[in-house]
Amino acid sequence: MGKEGFGPHGNEFKYEDPEFRVTDEVRRAFDDTGFIIVRGLMDSDEIGKIKKSLEEYGLVEKYSYGVPDHEGREPRVLLWSYCGNDVLGLVPRCEKVASTCEKLLGGDELYHYHTKIMMKDAKKGGSFEWHQDYGYWYKNGNLKPDLMSLFLAVDPCVKENGGLQVLVGSHKAGRVDHNFDGGQQGADKERVEHLKKVYDHFYVNLQPGDGLLFHCNLLHSSGPNDSEQRRWAFNCSYNKRNNNPVKKHHHPLYNKLDKVSNNAIRECENFCEPEGKEFIDPATDETVKAGSKPGES
């Protein structure tokens, strides 16, 4: 990782293997803004394998579902609990992701909370409302906001096709109440409008392989996709072992994360192993109200 941060908030870094590590500057940038951007976290070969796994083996068609926004437009999600040994399962297990997140959250052991693919079809993909992940993970029995996620661009994720928006530093504002807005849980709208006056509203532009690592209390959203280009992103989330949820729910309780080397994805030829992942049935997911299933209009 480059030693000095760049970009408008000084929290962007370039992935440089084997020099990729969390320095004091990287940790300060994360603590100050609630996120860091790692340019080129995954190379073109790794992204190519992720795309092949998603596009050629029927997972999206079989397991994804819509989550309507407040206008009824549907982004789609594909969500599972346990990593596995295929290409998709190695992403959250590789050192450059798992160990980086561990260090950003203070060095305590993390486990894989879940992974999801977030998809917005060209011309019709819906929005994700302003929210904090902890806004609804709180309701799952996680007593502390000791969770974080990687948002990895599979396609270009830019303003035009419904890319990410964040309120820089908003993780410092604490948890905001969340309620359903359409099929999604969104942060209290009045409070978000006030927070927009305090924290910089920033549009994040990511190219395939760029990753945004962010704290679970960071307020973020994304707009609809009215462009000609789809927008797919890989999102894996972690929880601290010592923050093991106090109640059983649709995401996993503590289970040991077996890390793999940074070469594991490049070397893996197991593109799809759905057994054991435990894809989420939206009927059991209390954090969304699912819309259409694959094949439905």
Side-chain angles (χ1 to χ4, degrees), residues 10-264:
N11 64 346
E12 300 184 33
F13 303 89
K14 184 178 179 181
Y15 178 76
E16 295 176 346
D17 191 19
E19 299 300 323
F20 181 79
R21 59 193 178 90
V22 176
T23 62
D24 289 343
E25 180 180 359
V26 174
R27 178 68 186 275
R28 282 195 298 271
F30 179 80
D31 290 345
D32 288 345
T33 65
F35 69 100
I36 62 169
I37 297 171
V38 184
R39 300 293 182 187
L41 178 60
M42 297 287 170
D43 64 24
S44 58
D45 289 339
E46 292 167 316
I47 289 296
K49 287 193 168 188
I50 292 170
K51 282 187 175 182
K52 180 175 179 179
S53 298
L54 293 171
E55 293 172 347
E56 297 184 15
Y57 294 91
L59 296 180
V60 172
E61 291 77 8
K62 187 173 182 180
Y63 296 109
S64 69
Y65 50 92
V67 282
D69 62 19
H70 68 282
E71 294 181 344
R73 295 178 62 162
E74 291 190 343
R76 306 189 66 79
V77 298
L78 170 67
L79 179 61
W80 64 89
S81 295
Y82 299 100
C83 296
N85 298 309
D86 59 358
V87 166
L88 299 177
L90 294 182
V91 175
R93 293 173 56 194
C94 70
E95 285 279 354
K96 62 184 176 180
V97 178
S99 292
T100 298
C101 289
E102 214 162 58
K103 292 172 183 174
L104 289 172
L105 275 185
D108 297 331
E109 181 186 353
L110 302 183
Y111 74 93
H112 175 256
Y113 196 41
H114 59 269
T115 290
K116 60 186 173 185
I117 310 300
M118 298 181 294
M119 299 164 284
K120 298 185 181 185
D121 295 333
K123 286 293 188 182
K124 60 181 182 179
S127 303
F128 285 104
E129 313 294 345
W130 281 104
H131 68 282
Q132 302 162 310
D133 291 341
Y134 190 57
Y136 46 90
W137 291 346
Y138 168 90
K139 301 176 183 180
N140 294 342
N142 295 291
L143 298 183
K144 297 176 288 184
D146 288 339
L147 305 98
M148 68 173 295
S149 299
L150 162 69
F151 181 101
L152 176 70
V154 176
D155 300 321
C157 294
V158 296
K159 184 177 181 180
E160 291 73 22
N161 68 353
L164 273 179
Q165 306 170 39
V166 302
L167 296 187
V168 181
S170 58
H171 64 303
K172 296 179 181 179
R175 183 183 67 85
V176 177
D177 288 339
H178 282 58
N179 296 290
F180 276 103
D181 191 359
Q184 306 171 22
Q185 290 204 53
D188 178 84
K189 290 181 181 296
E190 181 179 0
R191 196 167 188 89
V192 169
E193 290 305 310
H194 286 300
L195 291 170
K196 285 181 179 179
K197 301 172 185 176
V198 178
Y199 298 104
D200 182 24
H201 181 181
F202 178 57
Y203 288 85
V204 182
N205 289 324
L206 302 175
Q207 294 302 311
D210 291 344
L212 182 140
L213 299 120
F214 64 102
H215 190 274
C216 65
N217 265 339
L218 182 74
L219 278 159
H220 58 288
S221 70
S222 59
N225 184 5
D226 293 320
S227 78
E228 300 286 350
Q229 184 179 45
R230 74 174 195 188
R231 197 222 75 171
W232 284 15
F234 187 107
N235 187 307
C236 56
S237 300
Y238 300 93
N239 191 12
K240 281 190 177 182
R241 177 180 182 174
N242 62 20
N243 194 38
N244 197 30
V246 296
K247 67 178 183 180
K248 188 175 181 180
H249 58 286
H250 54 282
H251 294 317
L253 303 184
Y254 170 75
N255 59 101
K256 186 172 178 56
L257 178 68
D258 294 320
K259 298 177 187 176
V260 296
S261 76
N262 289 339
N263 293 322

